[in-house]
Structure formats: C-alpha cells, structure tokens
Amino acid sequence: EFFIGWIFFGWLFWVGMGSVFLNKIIKKEENLSKILIFCHILIAALLPLEIILSRISRTLISGPTGQIPNLMPSLLYSFFALAPFCLVLGLQFTIFARFWKSSAGKLRLEQILGKSYVFEALGFIVGGLFFSYIFIFINEFLTASILGWLNLITALLILFLIKKSNIILKSLTIILIIIFIGISIFSKNINSQINQLRFPHQELIESKNSLYGNIAITKTREQYNFYESGALIGTNKEEFSNEEIAHFSLLFHPNPQKILLIGNGINGTLKEILKHQPNKVFYLE
C-alpha cells in the first residue's frame, strides 16, 4: 500500500512539474497546435518505454530474480522512471487548454479549464472501466499499441484541421500508426520477449495478469519456479520441506481420510499428502 501511494505521488509530482514548468517554456500561441501534436506522438512512444523500464527494474535494483528489492533503490528508480511520460502528460493538459482557449474565442480561460477537467475526469472513468474489464486481461504491449493508435490518430486529426500543417509531420504520424499496428499484431511475441528480461538465466514458460497481480512460471533445468507480481512464492522441487509439512503432521493420525491443506499446494505438498491415501483433500491457496 505504501509503494502504491509512492507511485501515485511520483505520478502527480511529475505531471505537476510538466504542467507548470514545461508550459512556461512555450511562449508563442501559434506553436500550440504543433506542441500538442508532439505530445500525442511522445505519449504513444513513451508508454511502451515505461513498460520496458518497469520490466527491467528488478534486474537493475534487486539482484537475484525473485528477491524483494531494497526500499531506497526501489523508491528512487520508480520515481525517476515515471518522469518522461508524466512530464509530457502534464504539458499536454495545459497546452490543450491553451489551444482550446485560442480557438474558442469568447470563452474565458477559467471556463476552458473547468470543461477540460470535466473531460479529463470522464476520461479517467472510461479508462478505468476499460482497464478493469478489458485491458487487464490482454498483454501490456497490445494495450500500449491501442492507446498509441488513439494518440496518433488524434495527432493526425489535429494536423488535418490545421490549415498550414506540415506534410513531413503528417507522414511521420502515418508511419508511426503503421508501426503501432505492427506492434499490436506481434504484441504477444514482443510482450513475451520483454517479459523474459524479468527472469535472467531462466526460461519463461508463462506470464499472466489477473485482477490480483501478475503470475509467472519459469523453468531452471528441471525445476519450475512460481512468481506472484515478481516475488518467488515457491518451486516444484522442494521435496525435503514438503515431506516435513505433510508427513510429520499426518503421522500423528492413525488413518487420515479428510485433509485440509492451506497454502503450499503448488510446491509439491499435495503429492506427499496423497501418499497417505486419503479419501478427500481440501486445498485452499
């Protein structure tokens, strides 16, 4: 919970810095449309980069795979890794509000800002629903490519609305849209290759997102390793500890027939329990 709060702090801090300081650099109102287009292009490009930075984070700061990383390196890495993406988000919001003001005519700035916040809030709600019910179940690079399309198509629409738009910028945006279509087509392979970076010297068998976290299975020679959100929760080759858990307790009963096992089922404890030939085993993970 603390770390999630820290991520929110970093996110809001860098968005605030982008909206305050980067916005002050842009002086000329005639450049607003171009800056807004570049913001959409950068967001499309930086989102896959953020996924890669998050995937390699444990390798860079925690040492052996599965080890819980130290607190201070984790805080610093996550704080600064968010900076590029969030700075652009902060700049984008203020540039959009200024661009809207320059083209709206009679509307005052406070009216524009109020409406901008309303649309942003609606976007958060819609985005949250899509994430919770759709995006959480598909791979991250497919999600990134879909969001990339939306940003690039928006940039292209702005380019066509501008009377004297740059043909080079139009061509670049169209090329990027084609690239992101390619990313979406091969997203499963890309996601698998980038995911492998989380587990050096191990073969990644499968990685899946659930409502409760990321579940990954890797293989080291003949041993399978199970990870929950990057933390090692066990392997299938823990015979000695499984024998202790199962046999020491079950040998106290002359004929155990109904057994409740809470946890440790994936590690091979179930296999040891079945050696006692019970009628039923109730297993809760």
Coordinates of all heavy atoms in Angstrom, one line a residue, residues 161-238:
L161 N -6.8 19.4 -39.4 CA -7.6 20.6 -39.0 C -6.9 21.9 -39.2 O -7.5 22.9 -39.4 CB -8.2 20.4 -37.6 CG -9.3 19.4 -37.4 CD1 -9.6 19.2 -35.9 CD2 -10.6 19.7 -38.1
I162 N -5.5 21.7 -39.1 CA -4.7 22.9 -39.2 C -4.6 23.3 -40.7 O -4.3 22.4 -41.5 CB -3.3 22.7 -38.6 CG1 -3.4 22.4 -37.1 CG2 -2.4 23.9 -38.8 CD1 -2.2 21.9 -36.5
K163 N -4.7 24.5 -41.0 CA -4.7 24.9 -42.5 C -3.3 24.7 -43.1 O -3.2 24.2 -44.2 CB -5.1 26.4 -42.6 CG -6.6 26.6 -42.2 CD -7.0 28.1 -42.4 CE -8.4 28.3 -42.0 NZ -8.8 29.7 -42.1
K164 N -2.3 25.1 -42.4 CA -0.9 25.0 -42.9 C -0.1 24.0 -42.1 O 0.8 24.2 -41.4 CB -0.2 26.4 -42.8 CG -0.8 27.5 -43.6 CD -0.1 28.8 -43.5 CE -0.7 29.9 -44.4 NZ 0.1 31.2 -44.2
S165 N -0.6 22.8 -42.2 CA 0.0 21.7 -41.5 C 1.3 21.2 -42.2 O 1.3 21.2 -43.5 CB -0.9 20.5 -41.2 OG -1.4 20.0 -42.4
N166 N 2.2 20.6 -41.5 CA 3.5 20.1 -42.1 C 3.3 18.8 -42.7 O 2.9 17.8 -42.0 CB 4.5 20.1 -40.9 CG 5.9 19.9 -41.5 OD1 6.1 19.2 -42.4 ND2 6.9 20.6 -40.9
I167 N 3.6 18.6 -44.0 CA 3.5 17.3 -44.7 C 4.4 16.3 -44.1 O 4.1 15.1 -44.0 CB 3.7 17.5 -46.2 CG1 3.4 16.2 -46.9 CG2 5.1 18.0 -46.5 CD1 1.9 15.8 -46.9
I168 N 5.6 16.7 -43.6 CA 6.5 15.8 -43.0 C 6.0 15.2 -41.7 O 6.1 14.0 -41.4 CB 7.9 16.5 -42.8 CG1 8.5 16.9 -44.1 CG2 8.9 15.6 -42.0 CD1 9.8 17.7 -44.0
L169 N 5.4 16.1 -40.9 CA 4.8 15.7 -39.7 C 3.6 14.7 -39.9 O 3.4 13.7 -39.2 CB 4.3 16.9 -38.9 CG 4.2 16.7 -37.4 CD1 5.4 16.1 -36.7 CD2 3.8 18.0 -36.7
K170 N 2.8 15.0 -41.0 CA 1.7 14.1 -41.3 C 2.3 12.7 -41.7 O 1.7 11.7 -41.3 CB 0.9 14.7 -42.5 CG -0.1 15.7 -42.2 CD -0.8 16.1 -43.4 CE -1.8 17.2 -43.1 NZ -2.5 17.7 -44.3
S171 N 3.3 12.7 -42.5 CA 3.9 11.4 -43.0 C 4.5 10.7 -41.8 O 4.3 9.4 -41.7 CB 5.0 11.7 -44.0 OG 4.5 12.5 -45.1
L172 N 5.1 11.4 -40.9 CA 5.7 10.7 -39.7 C 4.6 10.1 -38.8 O 4.8 8.9 -38.4 CB 6.5 11.7 -38.9 CG 7.0 11.3 -37.5 CD1 8.1 10.2 -37.7 CD2 7.6 12.4 -36.7
T173 N 3.5 10.8 -38.7 CA 2.4 10.3 -37.9 C 1.8 9.0 -38.5 O 1.5 8.1 -37.8 CB 1.3 11.4 -37.7 OG1 1.9 12.6 -37.2 CG2 0.3 10.9 -36.7
I174 N 1.6 9.1 -39.8 CA 1.1 7.9 -40.5 C 2.0 6.7 -40.4 O 1.5 5.6 -40.2 CB 0.8 8.3 -42.0 CG1 -0.4 9.3 -42.1 CG2 0.4 7.0 -42.8 CD1 -0.5 9.9 -43.4
I175 N 3.3 7.0 -40.5 CA 4.3 5.9 -40.4 C 4.2 5.3 -39.0 O 4.3 4.0 -38.8 CB 5.7 6.4 -40.7 CG1 5.8 6.7 -42.2 CG2 6.8 5.4 -40.3 CD1 7.1 7.5 -42.6
L176 N 4.1 6.1 -38.0 CA 4.0 5.6 -36.6 C 2.8 4.8 -36.4 O 2.8 3.8 -35.6 CB 4.1 6.8 -35.6 CG 5.5 7.5 -35.5 CD1 5.4 8.7 -34.6 CD2 6.4 6.5 -34.8
I177 N 1.7 5.2 -37.0 CA 0.4 4.5 -36.9 C 0.6 3.1 -37.4 O 0.2 2.1 -36.8 CB -0.8 5.2 -37.6 CG1 -1.2 6.5 -36.8 CG2 -2.0 4.3 -37.7 CD1 -2.2 7.3 -37.5
I178 N 1.3 3.0 -38.6 CA 1.6 1.7 -39.2 C 2.5 0.8 -38.3 O 2.2 -0.4 -38.1 CB 2.2 1.9 -40.6 CG1 1.2 2.6 -41.6 CG2 2.7 0.5 -41.2 CD1 1.8 3.0 -42.9
I179 N 3.5 1.5 -37.7 CA 4.4 0.8 -36.8 C 3.6 0.2 -35.6 O 3.8 -0.9 -35.2 CB 5.5 1.7 -36.3 CG1 6.5 2.0 -37.5 CG2 6.3 1.1 -35.1 CD1 7.5 3.1 -37.1
F180 N 2.7 1.0 -35.1 CA 1.9 0.6 -33.9 C 0.9 -0.5 -34.3 O 0.6 -1.4 -33.4 CB 1.2 1.7 -33.2 CG 2.0 2.4 -32.2 CD1 3.0 3.4 -32.5 CD2 1.9 2.1 -30.9 CE1 3.8 4.0 -31.6 CE2 2.7 2.7 -29.9 CZ 3.7 3.6 -30.3
I181 N 0.4 -0.5 -35.5 CA -0.4 -1.6 -36.0 C 0.4 -2.9 -36.0 O 0.0 -4.0 -35.6 CB -1.0 -1.4 -37.4 CG1 -2.0 -0.3 -37.3 CG2 -1.6 -2.6 -38.0 CD1 -2.5 0.3 -38.7
G182 N 1.7 -2.8 -36.4 CA 2.6 -3.9 -36.4 C 2.9 -4.4 -35.0 O 2.9 -5.6 -34.7
I183 N 3.0 -3.5 -34.0 CA 3.3 -3.8 -32.6 C 2.1 -4.6 -32.1 O 2.2 -5.6 -31.4 CB 3.5 -2.6 -31.8 CG1 4.8 -1.9 -32.1 CG2 3.4 -2.9 -30.3 CD1 5.1 -0.6 -31.5
S184 N 0.8 -4.2 -32.5 CA -0.3 -4.9 -32.0 C -0.4 -6.3 -32.6 O -0.9 -7.2 -31.9 CB -1.6 -4.1 -32.3 OG -1.8 -4.0 -33.7
I185 N -0.1 -6.5 -33.8 CA -0.1 -7.8 -34.5 C 0.9 -8.7 -33.8 O 0.5 -9.9 -33.5 CB 0.2 -7.7 -36.0 CG1 -1.0 -6.9 -36.7 CG2 0.3 -9.0 -36.6 CD1 -0.7 -6.5 -38.1
F186 N 2.1 -8.2 -33.5 CA 3.1 -9.1 -32.9 C 3.3 -8.8 -31.4 O 4.3 -9.2 -30.8 CB 4.5 -8.8 -33.6 CG 4.4 -9.2 -35.1 CD1 4.4 -8.2 -36.0 CD2 4.5 -10.5 -35.5 CE1 4.4 -8.5 -37.4 CE2 4.5 -10.8 -36.8 CZ 4.4 -9.8 -37.8
S187 N 2.2 -8.3 -30.8 CA 2.3 -7.9 -29.4 C 2.6 -9.0 -28.4 O 3.3 -8.9 -27.5 CB 1.0 -7.1 -28.9 OG -0.1 -8.0 -29.0
K188 N 2.0 -10.2 -28.8 CA 2.2 -11.4 -27.9 C 3.7 -11.8 -27.9 O 4.2 -12.0 -26.8 CB 1.3 -12.5 -28.4 CG 1.3 -13.7 -27.4 CD 0.3 -14.8 -27.8 CE 0.3 -15.9 -26.8 NZ -0.6 -17.0 -27.2
N189 N 4.3 -11.8 -29.0 CA 5.7 -12.2 -29.1 C 6.6 -11.1 -28.4 O 7.6 -11.4 -27.7 CB 6.2 -12.4 -30.5 CG 5.6 -13.7 -31.1 OD1 5.3 -14.6 -30.4 ND2 5.4 -13.7 -32.4
I190 N 6.3 -9.8 -28.7 CA 7.1 -8.7 -28.1 C 6.9 -8.8 -26.6 O 7.9 -8.6 -25.9 CB 6.6 -7.4 -28.7 CG1 6.9 -7.3 -30.2 CG2 7.2 -6.2 -27.9 CD1 6.2 -6.1 -30.8
N191 N 5.7 -9.0 -26.1 CA 5.5 -9.0 -24.7 C 6.3 -10.1 -24.0 O 6.8 -10.0 -23.0 CB 4.0 -9.1 -24.4 CG 3.6 -8.9 -23.0 OD1 3.9 -7.9 -22.4 ND2 3.0 -9.9 -22.4
S192 N 6.3 -11.3 -24.7 CA 7.0 -12.4 -24.2 C 8.5 -12.2 -24.1 O 9.1 -12.5 -23.1 CB 6.7 -13.7 -25.1 OG 7.4 -14.8 -24.6
Q193 N 9.1 -11.6 -25.2 CA 10.5 -11.3 -25.2 C 10.9 -10.3 -24.1 O 11.9 -10.4 -23.4 CB 10.9 -10.8 -26.6 CG 10.8 -11.8 -27.7 CD 11.7 -13.0 -27.5 OE1 12.9 -12.8 -27.1 NE2 11.3 -14.2 -27.7
I194 N 10.1 -9.2 -24.0 CA 10.4 -8.2 -23.0 C 10.1 -8.7 -21.6 O 10.9 -8.4 -20.6 CB 9.5 -6.9 -23.2 CG1 9.8 -6.3 -24.6 CG2 9.8 -5.9 -22.1 CD1 11.2 -5.9 -24.8
N195 N 9.1 -9.6 -21.4 CA 8.9 -10.2 -20.1 C 10.1 -11.1 -19.7 O 10.3 -11.2 -18.5 CB 7.6 -11.1 -20.2 CG 6.6 -10.7 -19.2 OD1 6.9 -10.1 -18.2 ND2 5.3 -10.9 -19.6
Q196 N 10.7 -11.7 -20.6 CA 11.9 -12.6 -20.3 C 13.0 -11.8 -19.6 O 13.7 -12.4 -18.8 CB 12.4 -13.2 -21.6 CG 13.6 -14.1 -21.4 CD 13.3 -15.4 -20.7 OE1 12.4 -16.2 -21.1 NE2 13.9 -15.5 -19.5
L197 N 13.0 -10.5 -19.8 CA 14.0 -9.6 -19.1 C 13.9 -9.6 -17.6 O 14.8 -9.4 -16.9 CB 14.0 -8.2 -19.6 CG 14.2 -8.0 -21.1 CD1 14.0 -6.5 -21.5 CD2 15.7 -8.3 -21.5
R198 N 12.7 -10.0 -17.1 CA 12.4 -10.0 -15.7 C 13.1 -11.2 -15.1 O 13.3 -11.2 -13.8 CB 10.9 -10.1 -15.4 CG 10.2 -8.8 -15.9 CD 8.7 -9.1 -15.9 NE 8.2 -9.5 -14.6 CZ 7.1 -10.3 -14.4 NH1 6.4 -10.7 -15.4 NH2 6.7 -10.6 -13.2
F199 N 13.4 -12.2 -15.9 CA 13.9 -13.5 -15.3 C 15.2 -14.0 -16.1 O 15.1 -14.9 -16.8 CB 12.8 -14.6 -15.5 CG 11.5 -14.2 -14.9 CD1 10.5 -13.7 -15.7 CD2 11.3 -14.3 -13.5 CE1 9.2 -13.4 -15.1 CE2 10.1 -13.9 -12.9 CZ 9.0 -13.4 -13.8
P200 N 16.3 -13.3 -15.8 CA 17.5 -13.7 -16.5 C 18.0 -15.0 -16.0 O 17.7 -15.4 -14.8 CB 18.5 -12.6 -16.0 CG 17.9 -12.0 -14.8 CD 16.4 -12.1 -15.0
H201 N 18.6 -15.8 -16.9 CA 19.1 -17.2 -16.7 C 18.0 -18.2 -16.4 O 18.2 -19.2 -15.8 CB 20.1 -17.2 -15.5 CG 21.1 -16.1 -15.6 ND1 22.0 -16.0 -16.7 CD2 21.4 -15.0 -14.8 CE1 22.7 -14.9 -16.5 NE2 22.4 -14.3 -15.3
Q202 N 16.7 -17.8 -16.7 CA 15.6 -18.7 -16.5 C 14.8 -18.7 -17.8 O 14.7 -17.7 -18.5 CB 14.7 -18.3 -15.3 CG 15.4 -18.4 -14.0 CD 14.4 -18.0 -12.9 OE1 13.3 -18.3 -12.9 NE2 15.0 -17.4 -11.8
E203 N 14.1 -19.8 -18.1 CA 13.2 -19.9 -19.2 C 11.8 -19.5 -18.8 O 11.2 -20.1 -17.9 CB 13.2 -21.3 -19.8 CG 12.3 -21.4 -21.0 CD 12.1 -22.9 -21.5 OE1 12.8 -23.7 -20.9 OE2 11.2 -23.1 -22.3
L204 N 11.2 -18.4 -19.4 CA 9.9 -18.0 -19.0 C 8.9 -18.9 -19.7 O 8.8 -18.9 -21.0 CB 9.6 -16.5 -19.4 CG 8.2 -16.0 -19.1 CD1 7.9 -16.0 -17.7 CD2 8.1 -14.6 -19.7
I205 N 8.1 -19.6 -19.0 CA 7.1 -20.5 -19.5 C 5.8 -19.8 -19.8 O 5.2 -19.9 -20.9 CB 6.8 -21.7 -18.6 CG1 8.1 -22.5 -18.2 CG2 5.7 -22.7 -19.1 CD1 8.8 -23.1 -19.5
E206 N 5.3 -19.0 -18.8 CA 4.1 -18.3 -19.0 C 4.0 -17.1 -18.0 O 4.6 -17.2 -16.9 CB 2.9 -19.2 -18.7 CG 1.5 -18.6 -19.0 CD 1.3 -18.2 -20.5 OE1 1.7 -17.0 -20.8 OE2 0.9 -19.0 -21.3
S207 N 3.4 -16.0 -18.4 CA 3.2 -14.9 -17.6 C 1.8 -14.3 -17.9 O 1.4 -14.0 -19.0 CB 4.2 -13.8 -17.8 OG 3.9 -12.6 -17.1
K208 N 0.9 -14.3 -16.8 CA -0.4 -13.8 -17.0 C -0.8 -12.8 -15.9 O -0.4 -12.9 -14.8 CB -1.4 -15.0 -16.8 CG -1.4 -16.0 -18.0 CD -2.2 -15.6 -19.1 CE -2.2 -16.6 -20.2 NZ -3.0 -16.2 -21.4
N209 N -1.6 -11.8 -16.3 CA -2.2 -10.9 -15.4 C -3.5 -11.3 -14.9 O -4.3 -11.9 -15.6 CB -2.3 -9.5 -16.1 CG -1.0 -8.8 -16.3 OD1 0.0 -9.0 -15.6 ND2 -0.9 -8.1 -17.4
S210 N -3.8 -11.1 -13.6 CA -5.1 -11.3 -13.1 C -5.5 -10.1 -12.3 O -4.8 -9.1 -12.3 CB -5.0 -12.5 -12.1 OG -4.4 -12.1 -10.9
L211 N -6.7 -10.1 -11.8 CA -7.2 -9.0 -11.0 C -6.4 -8.7 -9.8 O -6.5 -7.7 -9.2 CB -8.7 -9.2 -10.6 CG -9.7 -9.2 -11.8 CD1 -11.1 -9.6 -11.3 CD2 -9.8 -7.9 -12.5
Y212 N -5.6 -9.7 -9.4 CA -4.9 -9.7 -8.1 C -3.4 -9.5 -8.3 O -2.7 -9.4 -7.3 CB -5.2 -10.9 -7.3 CG -6.7 -11.2 -7.2 CD1 -7.2 -12.2 -8.0 CD2 -7.5 -10.4 -6.4 CE1 -8.6 -12.5 -7.9 CE2 -8.9 -10.7 -6.4 CZ -9.4 -11.7 -7.1 OH -10.8 -11.9 -7.1
G213 N -2.9 -9.5 -9.5 CA -1.5 -9.4 -9.7 C -1.0 -10.2 -10.9 O -1.8 -10.8 -11.6
N214 N 0.3 -10.2 -11.1 CA 0.9 -10.9 -12.2 C 1.4 -12.3 -11.7 O 2.0 -12.4 -10.7 CB 2.1 -10.1 -12.8 CG 2.8 -10.9 -13.9 OD1 3.8 -11.6 -13.6 ND2 2.3 -10.8 -15.1
I215 N 1.1 -13.3 -12.5 CA 1.5 -14.7 -12.1 C 2.4 -15.2 -13.2 O 2.1 -15.1 -14.4 CB 0.3 -15.6 -12.0 CG1 -0.7 -15.1 -10.9 CG2 0.8 -17.0 -11.7 CD1 -2.0 -15.7 -11.0
A216 N 3.6 -15.6 -12.9 CA 4.6 -16.1 -13.8 C 5.2 -17.4 -13.4 O 5.3 -17.7 -12.2 CB 5.7 -15.1 -14.0
I217 N 5.4 -18.3 -14.4 CA 6.1 -19.6 -14.2 C 7.3 -19.6 -15.1 O 7.3 -19.3 -16.3 CB 5.1 -20.7 -14.6 CG1 3.8 -20.7 -13.8 CG2 5.8 -22.1 -14.4 CD1 2.8 -21.6 -14.3
T218 N 8.5 -19.9 -14.5 CA 9.7 -20.1 -15.2 C 10.3 -21.5 -15.0 O 9.8 -22.2 -14.1 CB 10.7 -19.0 -14.7 OG1 11.1 -19.3 -13.4 CG2 10.2 -17.6 -14.8
K219 N 11.3 -21.8 -15.7 CA 11.9 -23.1 -15.6 C 13.5 -22.9 -15.5 O 14.1 -22.2 -16.3 CB 11.6 -24.0 -16.8 CG 12.0 -25.4 -16.7 CD 11.6 -26.2 -17.9 CE 12.0 -27.7 -17.8 NZ 11.6 -28.5 -19.0
T220 N 14.1 -23.6 -14.6 CA 15.5 -23.7 -14.4 C 15.9 -25.2 -14.4 O 15.6 -25.9 -13.5 CB 16.0 -23.0 -13.1 OG1 15.4 -21.8 -13.0 CG2 17.5 -22.9 -13.1
R221 N 16.5 -25.6 -15.6 CA 16.7 -27.1 -15.8 C 15.4 -27.8 -15.6 O 14.5 -27.6 -16.4 CB 17.8 -27.5 -14.9 CG 19.2 -26.9 -15.1 CD 20.3 -27.4 -14.3 NE 21.5 -26.7 -14.5 CZ 22.6 -26.9 -13.9 NH1 22.7 -27.8 -12.9 NH2 23.7 -26.2 -14.2
E222 N 15.3 -28.7 -14.6 CA 14.1 -29.5 -14.4 C 13.2 -28.9 -13.4 O 12.1 -29.5 -13.1 CB 14.5 -30.9 -13.9 CG 15.4 -31.7 -14.9 CD 14.7 -31.8 -16.3 OE1 13.5 -32.1 -16.4 OE2 15.4 -31.6 -17.3
Q223 N 13.5 -27.7 -12.9 CA 12.7 -27.1 -11.8 C 11.8 -26.0 -12.3 O 12.3 -25.2 -13.1 CB 13.6 -26.5 -10.7 CG 12.9 -25.8 -9.6 CD 13.9 -25.3 -8.5 OE1 14.4 -26.1 -7.8 NE2 14.1 -24.0 -8.5
Y224 N 10.6 -26.0 -11.9 CA 9.6 -24.9 -12.3 C 9.5 -24.0 -11.1 O 9.4 -24.4 -9.9 CB 8.2 -25.5 -12.6 CG 8.2 -26.2 -13.9 CD1 8.4 -27.6 -14.0 CD2 7.9 -25.5 -15.1 CE1 8.4 -28.2 -15.2 CE2 7.9 -26.2 -16.3 CZ 8.1 -27.5 -16.4 OH 8.1 -28.2 -17.6
N225 N 9.6 -22.7 -11.4 CA 9.5 -21.6 -10.3 C 8.2 -20.8 -10.5 O 7.9 -20.5 -11.6 CB 10.7 -20.7 -10.4 CG 12.0 -21.5 -10.6 OD1 12.4 -22.3 -9.7 ND2 12.7 -21.3 -11.8
F226 N 7.6 -20.5 -9.4 CA 6.3 -19.8 -9.4 C 6.5 -18.4 -8.8 O 7.0 -18.3 -7.7 CB 5.2 -20.6 -8.7 CG 5.1 -22.0 -9.2 CD1 5.7 -23.0 -8.6 CD2 4.3 -22.2 -10.4 CE1 5.6 -24.3 -9.1 CE2 4.2 -23.5 -10.9 CZ 4.9 -24.6 -10.2
Y227 N 6.0 -17.3 -9.5 CA 6.2 -16.0 -9.1 C 4.8 -15.3 -9.0 O 4.0 -15.5 -9.9 CB 7.1 -15.2 -10.0 CG 8.5 -15.7 -10.0 CD1 8.9 -16.6 -10.9 CD2 9.5 -15.1 -9.2 CE1 10.2 -17.1 -11.0 CE2 10.8 -15.6 -9.2 CZ 11.2 -16.6 -10.1 OH 12.5 -17.0 -10.1
E228 N 4.6 -14.5 -8.0 CA 3.5 -13.6 -7.9 C 3.9 -12.2 -7.8 O 4.6 -11.8 -6.9 CB 2.6 -14.0 -6.7 CG 1.4 -13.1 -6.6 CD 0.5 -13.5 -5.4 OE1 0.9 -14.4 -4.6 OE2 -0.5 -12.8 -5.2
S229 N 3.6 -11.4 -8.9 CA 4.0 -10.0 -9.0 C 5.5 -9.8 -8.8 O 6.0 -8.9 -8.1 CB 3.2 -9.1 -8.0 OG 1.8 -9.2 -8.4
G230 N 6.3 -10.8 -9.4 CA 7.7 -10.7 -9.3 C 8.4 -11.4 -8.1 O 9.6 -11.5 -8.1
A231 N 7.6 -11.7 -7.1 CA 8.2 -12.3 -5.9 C 8.0 -13.8 -6.0 O 7.0 -14.4 -6.3 CB 7.5 -11.8 -4.7
L232 N 9.1 -14.5 -5.7 CA 9.1 -16.0 -5.7 C 8.2 -16.6 -4.6 O 8.4 -16.2 -3.4 CB 10.5 -16.5 -5.5 CG 10.7 -18.1 -5.6 CD1 10.4 -18.6 -6.9 CD2 12.1 -18.5 -5.1
I233 N 7.2 -17.4 -5.0 CA 6.4 -18.0 -4.0 C 6.6 -19.5 -3.8 O 6.0 -20.1 -2.9 CB 4.9 -17.7 -4.3 CG1 4.5 -18.3 -5.7 CG2 4.5 -16.3 -4.2 CD1 3.0 -18.2 -6.0
G234 N 7.5 -20.1 -4.7 CA 7.8 -21.5 -4.5 C 8.2 -22.1 -5.8 O 8.2 -21.5 -6.8
T235 N 8.7 -23.4 -5.6 CA 9.1 -24.2 -6.8 C 8.4 -25.6 -6.7 O 7.8 -25.9 -5.6 CB 10.6 -24.4 -6.9 OG1 11.0 -25.3 -5.9 CG2 11.3 -23.0 -6.6
N236 N 8.6 -26.4 -7.7 CA 8.0 -27.8 -7.6 C 9.1 -28.8 -7.1 O 8.9 -30.0 -7.2 CB 7.5 -28.2 -9.0 CG 8.7 -28.4 -10.0 OD1 9.7 -27.7 -10.0 ND2 8.5 -29.4 -10.9
K237 N 10.3 -28.3 -6.7 CA 11.3 -29.2 -6.3 C 11.7 -28.8 -4.8 O 12.9 -28.5 -4.5 CB 12.5 -29.0 -7.2 CG 12.3 -29.5 -8.6 CD 12.3 -31.0 -8.7 CE 12.2 -31.5 -10.2 NZ 12.1 -32.9 -10.2
E238 N 10.8 -29.0 -4.0 CA 11.0 -28.7 -2.5 C 10.7 -29.9 -1.7 O 9.9 -29.9 -0.8 CB 10.2 -27.5 -2.1 CG 10.6 -26.2 -2.8 CD 9.8 -25.0 -2.4 OE1 9.2 -25.0 -1.3 OE2 9.8 -24.0 -3.1

